Amino acid sequence: MKVAVASRSFSKHPVLRAELQARFPDATFNDAGKSLAGAELVAFLQGHDAAVTALERLDDSLFDALPELTVIGKYGVGLDMVDLDAMRRRGIRLGWTGGVNRRSVSELVISMAIALLRHVPQGNLEVRASGWRQLQGRHLSGRCVGIIGCGHIGQDLTPLLKAFGCTVLAHDIRDFADFYAAHGVEKVGLDDLLGRADVVTLHLPLDSSTVNILSADKLALMRSDAILINCARGGLVDEAALKTMLMTGKLAGAGLDVFNGEPPEDRELLALPNLLATPHIGGSAEEAVLAMGRAAIAGLVQAVVPQPGSEVWRAAGLA
């Protein structure tokens, strides 16, 4: 196969480059470091029958322009940018591995929870501005944490929270009864979770059933001393409503690794002292990058046409 790597982080990673070239010597890399979309993405992928992609949008128009493209190796676990049905209709194969970056995301969630509970973002800003006062926070230990979406990442996060003595609530449309029983997780409805949890963390794909799942009305169910963490996908949370709640003290804090538009442009939101914002780094630990890259390389060979009812179909929220 002649492989094109659209992903910027894969392209600049020396180990992943070497491992891909060992199997596909004629691979083409995105050495310009550009975020490729539309006509530029089509031009980059032309002449290749396989591609490694990350956040690039793969849809009908792209596949129509690239009839020679038959295999995609997915770098990362998100699928909201991939039209699986368009791939199925054309017989294009996809190599995808779920949960390959789960520990990287889980550790970021833990770090955000501790930082927000201890007012680290606010304290950092005050010291940098020559302030010096002790801010009294709270432990993560013993807190009630609500996990919305208890798939790969939620299930990886749970034992880490249990090590802190946390009560863990979970809400998911799927039933993980055996996992819940084994780890002492309480399965609850969404409204119940939002009303009880000290920390709410999102781990859902973005699809028609989850977009704006935390609307203004749902956010209003959270306690004023609670914090919200979103290391999943932008579009799950009403950012305008969240900003108002943070500004008015109706929510204690929020940690956002993802935004409705990236990079975010709402400077008023980003300036809030009770917001911890990061640039979509949930899967950017060195260990996760290697795992995602190796899964994408293996996926070029092990790829299959996505089908309704398959794991990838379910992960994309299509079944």
Side-chain angles (χ1 to χ4, degrees), residues 108 112 256-259 262-264 277-282 284:
L108 182 61
M112 283 188 163
L256 301 180
D257 186 47
V258 291
F259 295 83
E262 295 180 357
T278 51
H280 204 144
I281 59 171
S284 293

Side-chain angles (χ1 to χ4, degrees), residues 253-284:
L256 301 180
D257 186 47
V258 291
F259 295 83
N260 295 352
E262 295 180 357
E265 297 181 353
D266 188 338
R267 309 314 301 178
E268 192 174 35
L269 171 65
L270 296 174
L272 295 177
N274 52 350
L275 175 75
L276 176 53
T278 51
H280 204 144
I281 59 171
S284 293

Side-chain angles (χ1 to χ4, degrees), residues 35-49:
S35 178
L36 299 172
E40 283 190 318
L41 179 59
V42 169
F44 180 77
L45 297 179
Q46 278 180 337
H48 300 85
D49 48 16

Side-chain angles (χ1 to χ4, degrees), residues 167-228:
T167 298
V168 178
L169 313 177
H171 172 73
D172 200 300
I173 60 172
R174 296 164 295 178
D175 186 13
F176 299 111
D178 291 343
F179 177 83
Y180 295 155
H183 294 274
V185 175
E186 183 181 351
K187 178 183 178 181
V188 296
L190 179 59
D191 289 2
D192 189 19
L193 182 151
L194 293 171
R196 292 171 57 189
D198 297 295
V199 178
V200 173
T201 178
L202 286 158
H203 300 288
L204 297 169
L206 181 65
D207 57 50
S208 59
S209 69
T210 63
V211 64
N212 207 37
I213 190 170
L214 291 192
S215 61
D217 289 342
K218 294 297 184 185
L219 288 170
L221 298 175
M222 295 180 66
R223 301 197 334 243
S224 61
D225 62 348
I227 63 173
L228 173 67

Side-chain angles (χ1 to χ4, degrees), residues 110 112-119 135-145 161 164-167 198-199 223 225 227:
I110 294 289
M112 283 188 163
I114 293 173
L116 288 162
L117 287 166
R118 296 297 298 275
H119 306 301
L135 301 170
Q136 182 173 299
R138 294 171 287 163
H139 287 170
L140 174 61
S141 299
R143 302 254 79 83
C144 179
V145 180
L161 293 168
F164 283 88
C166 293
T167 298
D198 297 295
V199 178
R223 301 197 334 243
D225 62 348
I227 63 173

Side-chain angles (χ1 to χ4, degrees), residues 88-109:
R88 180 192 61 80
R89 285 185 274 106
R90 292 170 173 81
I92 299 172
R93 294 178 291 129
L94 175 67
W96 171 87
T97 302
V100 71
N101 65 350
R102 56 188 178 272
R103 179 50 55 94
S104 179
V105 178
S106 294
E107 290 192 5
L108 182 61
V109 170

